[in-house]
Amino acid sequence: MYRYNDFDTAFLAERNDQFRQQVARRIDGSLTEDEFRPLRLMNGLYLQLHAYMLRVAIPYGTLRSAQMRQLAFIADKWDKGYGHFTTRQNIQYNWPKLPDVPDILDALAEVQLHAIQTSGNTIRNVTADHFAGAAADEIADPRPVAELLRQWSTDHPEFQFLPRKFKFAVTGSPNDRAVTKAHDIGVRMIRNDKGEPGYEVLVGGGLGRTPMIGKVIRDFLPPEDLLPYMEAIVSVYNLIGRRDNKYKARIKITVHETGLDTFREKVEARFAELKPAFSGVDQDLLREIEGHFAPPAFRNAPTDAYEAEREANPAFRAWADVNLAAHRAEGYAIVTVSLKKHGATPGDATSDQMRVLADLAERYGHDELRISHEQNVILPHVHKSDLPAIYAALREADLATANVGLISDIIACPGMDYCALATARSIPVAQEIAERFEELKLEHDVGPLKLKISGCINACGHHHVGHIGILGLDRAGVENYQITLGGDGTEEATIGQRTGPGFAYDEITDAIERIVRAYLELREDPEETFLMAYRRLGMDPFKAALYDEAGKAKAHAA
């Protein structure tokens, strides 16, 4: 993992001191709220429905145990004993008091964390595959590249006031777990026909009110060209991106209105100007960063304890079947810890749970944790012989839910319970759906199904790329929930299709059940997933089940 040097430490201390002075000026009235707003947003501080919210960056989703413990300490001392992990691999504190925020930032700095550029029209937290450095299917660990992008973009003088917020995602696997095609820039580590390493670069992806899939602007970019090419893309966008309409200010609209070919020409011209200024120092820095990400010392040990526990304990076996992923090292597994207990708030973890996860990572996981964009926590390097002990500890901490990748493993934004922009509730809908399918005991039979919920058109819950997506809207003061089907956030990324009219708050869970029951009746065999069945059959049979059955139910009730 990357460790701060003296420059990093001094830089962060200076930034925090500046913000401490700004907060003091806001409290004594020297700054109005309008004057303070851009300053607080540059430091990740929002004003939501009921209180301030502080969004803390977890760079490319990677944490050490000491950092997780500090997040727990902050939750206890300055918040309400929990934190919310987000789809941007951040953590949010929903109840900090303004006078305490500088102290929180100093506490974060003690463990090399910060909240810089987690808001504002600038380059946000760079995200990456949450299995990075561990996945069996990985070409290369993308985190050094993500760290290089983080250092380059932090306080970049040209890019502090972009037309709109800007998001990067990086993956080192052909199986895209970082949703690169739904980002302003996606970087995919690849090898060309000669086996040489490089990058496929995507541009213009994004969700929100105008969802678009990113387009390939360079199918192969040599490693030494990465930073000048990224700078070329962002500088062209900064120059020609729209500032007259915030709804048309994202780079996806710039690429769409300009045309990919014309946009590419502008980028290539700017790249030709910038490249001579990059003397190779960036590559020296990348090599230095790569030294921070050397793999841990994996051990060679028998896995008999794991096999015996699988045989003897059905609950452990059910958990292992869905919460473990293949690791590149023999005898190891990647553990995804679900933060989606049925009926709980997706993505929330108590301070006690954070400390349990930190302890497990320190004792069994080579001191590494990851946060996924799916709002779960990962122990990336666990020897299988330690899995029974880990499972027992997770059960005691109420963290052993066996539902990763299933319908109750729901991505959900905070919605109208917290967010000032939300037009509908997300959390109660997610809770009710998860509880329904737990009561029905259907989700393991249903198998892989990604359900995502957003409480407004900004799509923070990624509903557009959910196999089933739910968008909550306000219709004349009444919550109305639209459903989309067939979305996909992988390397085959697709925007889901809307089924038709939306449903009231008290109808949406029944509607989702009708869709799922239709799938169970229509699938060819249990190996055909929901997404596979939808792609084979199309919308019509699901639409019929959704609306025809709803009409029958209403008629029967009457």
Side-chain angles (χ1 to χ4, degrees), residues 129 137-142 170-175 187-190:
D129 182 355
D137 59 4
E138 191 172 74
I139 295 170
D141 187 340
V170 189
T171 183
S173 168
N175 299 301
V187 178
R188 302 185 67 211
M189 304 177 78
I190 60 171

Side-chain angles (χ1 to χ4, degrees), residues 333-412:
I334 301 169
V335 178
T336 298
V337 179
S338 173
L339 297 184
K340 316 287 179 57
K341 179 185 175 183
H342 302 97
T345 300
D348 277 10
T350 68
S351 56
D352 287 342
Q353 289 174 329
M354 291 185 218
R355 279 185 279 269
V356 167
L357 291 167
D359 291 347
L360 290 175
E362 190 170 63
R363 182 172 181 182
Y364 301 112
H366 298 276
D367 199 30
E368 288 194 37
L369 296 136
R370 306 286 164 72
I371 308 303
S372 74
H373 80 272
E374 295 177 320
Q375 301 175 286
N376 291 319
V377 179
I378 288 86
L379 299 169
H381 309 298
V382 174
H383 195 273
K384 288 183 177 179
S385 62
D386 293 324
L387 287 169
I390 288 174
Y391 176 70
L394 292 175
R395 283 198 66 168
E396 189 172 338
D398 217 11
L399 287 169
T401 305
N403 67 343
V404 171
L406 305 182
I407 194 170
S408 64
D409 183 14
I410 298 168
I411 288 179

Side-chain angles (χ1 to χ4, degrees), residues 523-556:
R523 67 182 180 184
E524 291 185 323
D525 57 64
E527 298 302 312
E528 184 177 46
T529 66
F530 177 87
L531 188 58
M532 292 164 62
Y534 178 83
R535 287 174 172 171
R536 175 175 62 87
L537 296 164
M539 174 70 78
D540 289 347
F542 296 98
K543 192 171 182 177
L546 186 58
Y547 293 104
D548 292 354
E549 292 301 318
K552 290 176 186 176
K554 286 182 179 179
H556 180 72

Side-chain angles (χ1 to χ4, degrees), residues 34-45:
D34 286 344
E35 292 169 330
F36 182 59
R37 184 175 182 272
L39 302 174
R40 63 172 168 79
L41 290 177
M42 291 173 70
N43 291 278
L45 187 62

Side-chain angles (χ1 to χ4, degrees), residues 96-144:
K97 294 179 174 61
L98 180 58
D100 294 331
V101 173
D103 290 337
I104 297 174
L105 295 181
D106 284 345
L108 291 168
E110 290 174 8
V111 292
Q112 303 179 355
L113 290 172
H114 62 76
I116 298 170
Q117 293 182 200
T118 57
S119 182
N121 292 335
T122 186
I123 296 171
R124 300 287 185 90
N125 187 33
V126 178
T127 59
D129 182 355
H130 43 274
F131 291 170
D137 59 4
E138 191 172 74
I139 295 170
D141 187 340
R143 291 176 301 157

Side-chain angles (χ1 to χ4, degrees), residues 422-437:
T423 50
R425 290 169 289 176
S426 297
I427 293 170
V429 174
Q431 292 169 326
E432 187 172 314
I433 291 171
E435 289 178 319
R436 171 71 61 86
F437 282 92

